[in-house]
Amino acid sequence: IGRSFIDFVHPRDRNTFASQITSGLAVPKIVNSTMVCRIRRYRGLTTGFGVKDRVVTFMPFLLKFTFKNICDDEKVIYLVIQATPFFSAFRIPNEVVAKAVPFVMRHAANGNLEYIDPESVPYLGYLPQDVTDKDALQLYHPEDLDYLQQVYETIVKEGGVPRTRAYRMMAQNGDYLKLETEWSSFINPWSKRLEFVIGKHHIIEGPANPDVFQSPVGEDEKAKAQKFRENIIRIMNEVLTKPAEVAKQQMTKRCQDLASFMESLIEEQPKVDEELRLDIQDPDHSYYERDSVMLGGISPHHDHNDSKSSTGTPLS
């Protein structure tokens, strides 16, 4: 009590919910309108302080909106919502359905789904706003497309098909159910072209997973795998491993040894008139004999007297 109702509506359904209310208020007559949306489930307080750690779950509902004028001291418009929960129509895997409620789907000539009955929700698991403007042909099983191509050819030629043989359609959970369909179409009388196709679907067998509202297994696995990938990257970049700790200690010791060695070199600087050469002797390459490395001394390629400017160079 006192909370905003929209706080309980799934984020993906809030725009549809808001537009439904706006259109309802815009109509001068008081009319009933319906929509399907997901409402957050109460998680309960039995887990004590662990409530925040539990996953937020949503449940699909059919909402019926009624706007009522209630006159007390002043005229106020109230929105009355009747919410009816949806449950999966199937209880067991591949359940044979005797008396399924038929539902209608309509798609344009480019395959875009324009309308789907709310009656389809317990059978397919899709909310109308989730699949509207999606490609209806993507719902058909790949192995049935050959047969359905023939069906669509008949629809275009004859204007419809009385009832097809059974074929498969994908439910929201990723599994397929079997159905038979009565097809009709609308041909634009001016352009003489097909505008849209209407299918009245009769479910005859449920999917292998009877819970049509469950998230597709593939999506869950992808999300899980991505989470593991991110964790591995984080571990490699943030967590200090034992080998890294040992390497760090070894590096610290090497730095200390090198610092001591350099200090001893600075304390014992060579005489300035003394050449320090590291001759490279290679019997097979005589041209190396002239090359040498000088430390604070003079170059072997110049006379001793030409190096006065370098005699004051300290050891670095």
Side-chain angles (χ1 to χ4, degrees), residues 100-128:
V101 177
F103 58 87
V104 171
M105 295 171 65
R106 184 182 74 232
H107 67 76
N110 62 0
N112 275 9
L113 198 59
E114 296 179 337
Y115 174 79
I116 180 170
D117 267 343
E119 284 80 8
S120 69
V121 175
Y123 296 103
L124 295 178
Y126 299 109
L127 271 62

Side-chain angles (χ1 to χ4, degrees), residues 35-55:
M35 72 163 287
V36 181
C37 85
R38 287 155 287 214
I39 296 178
R40 196 175 72 205
R41 298 188 69 170
Y42 178 63
R43 290 178 289 182
L45 298 172
T46 55
T47 52
F49 294 103
V51 171
K52 290 185 178 179
D53 298 329
R54 297 182 64 186
V55 177

Side-chain angles (χ1 to χ4, degrees), residues 279-289:
D279 291 327
I280 301 173
Q281 301 295 335
D282 192 330
D284 298 327
H285 301 85
S286 58
Y287 54 84
Y288 279 155
E289 292 176 3

Side-chain angles (χ1 to χ4, degrees), residues 135-172:
D135 187 357
L137 307 184
Q138 294 290 334
L139 300 178
Y140 303 147
H141 194 288
E143 294 176 5
D144 294 331
L145 289 173
D146 183 27
Y147 166 66
L148 288 169
Q149 180 178 319
Q150 301 172 32
V151 171
Y152 275 89
E153 287 173 352
T154 306
I155 292 170
V156 173
K157 289 177 185 177
E158 307 295 336
V161 174
R163 186 153 172 165
T164 63
R165 70 178 194 223
Y167 66 97
R168 288 162 290 184
M169 181 178 285
M170 186 166 63
Q172 192 275 151

Side-chain angles (χ1 to χ4, degrees), residues 83-304:
T84 307
F86 278 112
F87 299 99
S88 177
F90 311 107
R91 298 183 302 276
I92 58 174
N94 305 110
E95 181 178 348
V96 177
V97 183
K99 295 180 180 179
V101 177
F103 58 87
V104 171
M105 295 171 65
R106 184 182 74 232
H107 67 76
N110 62 0
N112 275 9
L113 198 59
E114 296 179 337
Y115 174 79
I116 180 170
D117 267 343
E119 284 80 8
S120 69
V121 175
Y123 296 103
L124 295 178
Y126 299 109
L127 271 62
Q129 58 265 32
D130 288 345
V131 289
T132 303
D133 293 328
K134 299 293 192 299
D135 187 357
L137 307 184
Q138 294 290 334
L139 300 178
Y140 303 147
H141 194 288
E143 294 176 5
D144 294 331
L145 289 173
D146 183 27
Y147 166 66
L148 288 169
Q149 180 178 319
Q150 301 172 32
V151 171
Y152 275 89
E153 287 173 352
T154 306
I155 292 170
V156 173
K157 289 177 185 177
E158 307 295 336
V161 174
R163 186 153 172 165
T164 63
R165 70 178 194 223
Y167 66 97
R168 288 162 290 184
M169 181 178 285
M170 186 166 63
Q172 192 275 151
N173 63 11
D175 286 346
Y176 288 87
L177 40 80
K178 290 182 181 179
L179 68 163
E180 297 174 354
T181 304
E182 301 171 45
W183 296 98
S184 60
S185 64
F186 175 74
I187 308 295
N188 189 311
W190 289 276
S191 66
K192 307 298 183 186
R193 296 180 67 86
L194 184 141
E195 287 285 331
F196 53 80
V197 174
I198 301 170
K200 187 177 182 181
H201 303 291
H202 303 264
I203 304 296
I204 60 173
E205 185 181 305
N209 179 3
D211 185 3
V212 294
F213 297 115
Q214 188 175 335
S215 298
V217 176
E219 294 300 318
D220 286 345
E221 292 301 319
K222 285 179 187 175
K224 203 176 193 179
Q226 183 58 29
K227 187 176 180 181
F228 282 128
R229 290 189 196 101
E230 291 170 358
N231 286 343
I232 291 169
I233 295 295
R234 181 184 58 79
I235 288 168
M236 290 192 295
N237 286 279
E238 296 177 11
V239 180
L240 193 61
T241 62
K242 187 175 180 181
E245 187 64 37
V246 172
K248 182 181 176 183
Q249 293 172 357
Q250 290 176 345
M251 186 59 68
T252 303
K253 187 174 185 305
R254 287 174 190 165
C255 289
Q256 290 172 346
D257 292 344
L258 182 59
S260 301
F261 176 68
M262 294 303 293
E263 285 174 5
S264 66
L265 283 180
I266 293 171
E267 289 171 0
E268 301 174 7
Q269 288 196 26
K271 297 176 182 179
V272 293
D273 60 344
E274 189 177 286
E275 286 188 8
L276 297 177
R277 295 187 183 179
L278 179 62
D279 291 327
I280 301 173
Q281 301 295 335
D282 192 330
D284 298 327
H285 301 85
S286 58
Y287 54 84
Y288 279 155
E289 292 176 3
R290 287 199 45 173
D291 297 341
S292 61
V293 177
M294 304 299 299
L295 297 177
I298 60 175
S299 170
H301 307 302
H302 298 83
D303 290 337
H304 204 88

